[in-house]
Amino acid sequence: HILRGSVQKSEDNLRITAQLIDATTGYPVWGERYDRKLKDLFALQDEITLKIINALAVKLTEGEQASIRQTTENFEAWGYCVKGIGLFEHFSRKDNSQAREYLEKAVRIDPEYAFAWTMLAWVHVIDAWFGFSESSSESIRKAKELAEKAAALGEAQSELYSLWSTIDLNQGQYEKAIDAGRKAVAIGPNNALSHVLLAYVMLFAGKFDEAVLFAERAIRLTPYCPDWYLSILGQSYRQAGRFKEALAAFKKALDRSQENKSNPMASLLGLIDVSMELGREEQARSYAAEVMRISPDFSFKYFHQVYPYKDPAYLERIIVNLRKAGLK
């Protein structure tokens, strides 16, 4: 199904049109027009969500019902949260710092906004992963503190379980990470983020076929996904021995990163590695030259942090390929 529509605003008045189309036939399943005041935005979002669900005759789990409810009634807090989420997925020091500022504003405005606390915790995880902070351990400690704050607000969030799953993974607690990731998917069976993060956990735990499965599901749930979804899919294909599919995924990830102006490093490194595996050394070297162009101080310093394989042999094979292509 495809949902299409429009939003028009005049002073504090909103006109929203929405139509649900059956993509297999092209015929509308449901359509509606809403004239509301801006202050009613969140109630309107819930109303439209539930009408679409009813139109599709989808039976929700308890967790999905909970996730439909808004966790803030403050439009300004919601706006800062949305801005923060849009930036932190770029995985750059500057954008992550700005995302943290926006999310901190969101929780200052509404301290009961559980989802914003969860996303603020994610920003600190990104700091730890990519070495953006002076102390990775301190960033993880802060992320845990914020996750506990979100949990204390009593919200059933799949994103929160995914957060705990990722923290557990980066502390080498693989089975615990898998358990938390599965809970996230159970709560949000249509949550693409929870699926791709469970794929991430499965990948580094050495469960490559399951990693492919969850990454493919994530992309099916959100076809125009962020580039890092495609990078995780590429890594999963690579470790499952499906090199040509990995190459295609990494190429698509690189194109997507350029469109979204996000960090292309994971895509480029994946392309170098897989090109070497396929015997395309010249192509691998051209990608390596691009890595050095955008990151002249490139090093392998943070590889074990960003690629926390349970069996380090899988990472060492990648590093060997990167070195052969000219990276040091």
Side-chain angles (χ1 to χ4, degrees), residues 68-318:
I68 288 169
R69 296 194 297 268
Q70 294 294 336
T71 57
T72 184
E73 296 297 326
N74 189 293
F75 187 71
E76 187 180 9
W78 176 81
Y80 279 125
C81 187
V82 170
K83 288 179 181 178
I85 294 167
L87 284 171
F88 97 90
E89 287 191 330
H90 289 176
F91 303 127
S92 72
R93 186 188 299 270
K94 179 181 176 182
D95 286 341
N96 205 55
S97 177
Q98 182 65 69
R100 181 168 55 252
E101 289 183 23
Y102 283 140
L103 289 161
E104 285 174 347
K105 286 180 180 179
V107 297
R108 276 201 301 270
I109 293 167
D110 183 359
E112 303 300 309
Y113 194 176
F115 183 71
W117 285 109
T118 298
M119 301 316 294
L120 182 56
W122 269 113
V123 169
H124 288 278
V125 170
I126 299 302
D127 277 343
W129 278 357
F130 292 95
F132 295 157
S133 61
E134 293 183 4
S135 170
S136 294
S137 60
E138 176 59 21
S139 293
I140 291 296
R141 186 200 66 77
K142 185 65 175 176
K144 286 182 174 181
E145 179 184 306
L146 295 170
E148 288 168 358
K149 172 70 175 177
L153 293 170
E155 295 290 334
Q157 298 179 53
S158 56
E159 293 86 357
L160 183 56
Y161 278 104
S162 292
L163 172 64
W164 281 117
S165 174
T166 308
I167 290 172
D168 291 335
L169 172 69
N170 281 270
Q171 295 187 322
Q173 298 176 314
Y174 295 92
E175 292 307 315
K176 191 176 178 183
I178 290 171
D179 287 345
R182 290 193 186 280
K183 285 179 182 176
V185 168
I187 290 173
N190 294 316
N191 188 316
L193 177 65
S194 292
H195 279 77
V196 78
L197 289 172
L198 182 52
Y200 176 85
V201 169
M202 292 295 188
L203 169 65
F204 296 118
K207 300 178 183 296
F208 305 130
D209 290 337
E210 289 183 83
V212 168
L213 175 66
F214 285 109
E216 288 178 339
R217 283 183 184 172
I219 292 168
R220 180 171 173 77
L221 287 166
T222 178
Y224 193 82
C225 58
D227 56 281
W228 62 275
Y229 281 44
L230 293 160
S231 289
I232 290 175
L233 178 62
Q235 283 286 353
S236 302
Y237 280 144
R238 182 259 185 267
Q239 296 296 5
R242 298 162 63 174
F243 299 118
K244 289 184 179 179
E245 289 167 286
L247 188 70
F250 283 128
K251 283 182 176 178
K252 193 171 182 179
L254 181 61
D255 290 343
R256 190 70 50 85
S257 70
Q258 291 168 343
E259 291 170 16
N260 296 335
K261 297 181 180 179
S262 55
N263 190 336
M265 191 62 68
S267 308
L268 287 167
L269 294 174
L271 285 167
I272 296 167
D273 171 42
V274 174
S275 295
M276 291 297 292
E277 289 289 339
L278 291 170
R280 303 176 185 182
E281 188 169 334
E282 185 176 342
Q283 192 175 50
R285 289 186 178 278
S286 70
Y287 289 127
E290 179 64 10
V291 167
M292 295 309 298
R293 186 188 70 80
I294 64 176
S295 182
D297 58 348
F298 173 84
S299 76
F300 293 103
K301 180 179 178 182
Y302 295 108
F303 258 58
H304 290 277
Q305 208 163 304
V306 180
Y307 296 89
Y309 281 98
K310 184 176 182 179
D311 183 348
Y314 292 113
L315 177 58
E316 291 307 316
R317 178 63 182 268
I318 295 172

Side-chain angles (χ1 to χ4, degrees), residues 58-74:
V58 174
K59 183 178 180 181
L60 295 180
T61 66
E62 183 180 350
E64 286 175 297
Q65 289 280 18
S67 70
I68 288 169
R69 296 194 297 268
Q70 294 294 336
T71 57
T72 184
E73 296 297 326
N74 189 293

